Amino acid sequence: MNGMPAGEKLDYRLLLDAAAAAARATGDQGHVADYIPALATVDPDAFGMAVATVDGELYGIGDWEQPFSVQSVSKLFTLALALAHGGDTVWRGVGREPSGNPFNSLVQLESEHGIPRNPFINAGALVVTDRLQTMTGDAAGAVREFLRRESGNPLLDTDPVVAASEAEHGHRNAALAHFIASHGNLENPVETVLDHYYAHCAVSASCRDLVLAGSFLARYGVRTDGTRLMSRSEAKRVNAVLLTCGTYDAAGEFAFRVGLPGKSGVGGGVLAILPGRAAVCAWGPRLDQAGNSVAAVTALDALTTLSGCSIF
Ligand code: GLU
């Protein structure tokens, strides 16, 4: 299958089988996130993967229908919705360069005067959540509604136990939010922004739900019902920021291995986009040192390597 020409149909069943086998071969490498205690209760050996094509086909393997904590994967949707509502105004309060620092670092924010480097580190996601709150009056609700509608899953929701656990152990996020506010870069009260941030990070969704919800990026901005969420060039920009900043401080390594725009979360999910073809999501709770799922990155690496299909 190597060297697959663009436009040729891929055999996703075969690819998912091979990707799952590669993921399972990673065994017990990596560690489940436990800095949010409620996340540590997950089965470390779970693995699922799904593909939703732009033509409406859906494929899955393993635990692809089992909900998990989406965590930072939600940041892709907060950014997309903020851009859909507010356009370029969003970029006044947040940059779009890789940070080169851990996702929850305070250091850079101080030297850069409260303007976070990009929308996918925690500081940047807090700013985007704040703007979405101003635009919609209910940032977490807007994300939840979007995910429900695109996935067709009305049961998709925030896990209140995870949200409470995040809040209880959220000193670093609270520090980031207060620091941003001290620079005048929050429009809403810190407590409101943190509540909505925890609520969208603590959404439980499956690989199935996430590929359907993310497939607008594979369709260059067009939603599952055929309406447009954002312009083609905005979709290009979101994909570009995903590629350069979507996988913590290992976006270079992810581009090297997988070659797709993608967003990871500490719940072990990674949602990646094959523009013009499909959205792909893989999930395995054990994380590498950068915070990316060992099994999910391995599975995505296998899928693009075997198919010869990436953005490069
Ligand atoms: N809610 C998590 C936090 O703020 C998100 C972490 C992640 O998935 O990157 O730490």
Side-chain angles (χ1 to χ4, degrees), residues 77-299:
F77 298 102
T78 47
L79 177 65
L81 291 173
L83 289 170
H85 284 279
D88 276 353
T89 59
V90 175
W91 299 118
R92 287 186 203 143
V94 64
R96 41 183 188 255
E97 290 293 345
S99 75
N101 275 304
F103 69 102
N104 55 5
S105 169
L106 281 148
V107 179
Q108 201 163 47
L109 198 53
E110 169 128 45
S111 58
E112 297 188 353
H113 313 293
I115 308 283
R117 266 291 171 102
N118 71 65
F120 297 143
I121 52 175
N122 285 12
L126 288 163
V127 170
V128 176
T129 301
D130 172 67
R131 302 306 192 268
L132 189 59
Q133 177 67 16
T134 302
M135 293 165 193
T136 63
D138 181 4
V143 172
R144 210 162 38 229
E145 269 322 295
F146 182 81
L147 294 175
R148 282 183 184 164
R149 240 176 301 128
E150 296 303 291
S151 67
N153 176 5
L155 300 178
L156 184 150
D157 215 341
T158 294
D159 180 334
V161 176
V162 175
S165 187
E166 290 209 43
E168 197 185 332
H169 298 270
H171 301 301
R172 193 167 268 272
N173 285 324
L176 288 169
H178 280 289
F179 197 77
I180 297 165
S182 78
H183 282 277
N185 194 16
L186 283 189
E187 296 172 354
N188 296 278
V190 163
E191 289 314 319
T192 307
V193 175
L194 287 172
D195 281 352
H196 283 264
Y197 172 80
Y198 295 138
H200 70 65
C201 286
V203 162
S204 282
S206 64
C207 292
R208 176 205 165 277
D209 297 329
L210 290 174
V211 284
L212 291 169
S215 59
F216 75 93
L217 283 177
R219 285 189 297 269
Y220 306 111
V222 175
R223 300 172 58 149
T224 37
D225 66 2
T227 61
R228 189 167 273 289
L229 178 69
M230 56 176 54
S231 71
R232 191 177 171 114
S233 68
E234 267 172 337
K236 176 199 75 179
R237 291 172 182 162
V238 174
N239 277 329
V241 184
L242 285 171
L243 181 75
T244 53
C245 311
T247 41
Y248 304 115
D249 204 11
E253 181 68 10
F254 188 79
F256 180 81
R257 288 184 65 188
V258 177
L260 297 178
K263 185 73 205 84
S264 53
V266 294
V270 184
L271 175 58
I273 307 298
L274 269 160
R277 283 187 182 271
V280 188
C281 182
W283 168 56
R286 295 180 201 271
L287 309 180
D288 63 20
Q289 290 206 325
N292 295 311
S293 163
V294 174
V297 175
T298 301

Side-chain angles (χ1 to χ4, degrees), residues 19-96:
R24 289 201 184 98
T26 62
D28 61 1
Q29 290 172 43
H31 299 283
V32 172
D34 56 8
Y35 76 101
I36 300 169
L39 292 182
T41 59
V42 71
D43 171 8
D45 296 320
F47 175 77
M49 190 168 184
V51 173
T53 71
V54 293
D55 310 320
E57 290 167 2
L58 186 60
Y59 302 90
I61 193 162
D63 301 315
W64 70 294
E65 292 176 294
Q66 188 179 316
F68 60 89
S69 194
V70 304
Q71 292 298 316
S72 280
V73 178
S74 63
K75 295 172 185 174
L76 180 169
F77 298 102
T78 47
L79 177 65
L81 291 173
L83 289 170
H85 284 279
D88 276 353
T89 59
V90 175
W91 299 118
R92 287 186 203 143
V94 64
R96 41 183 188 255

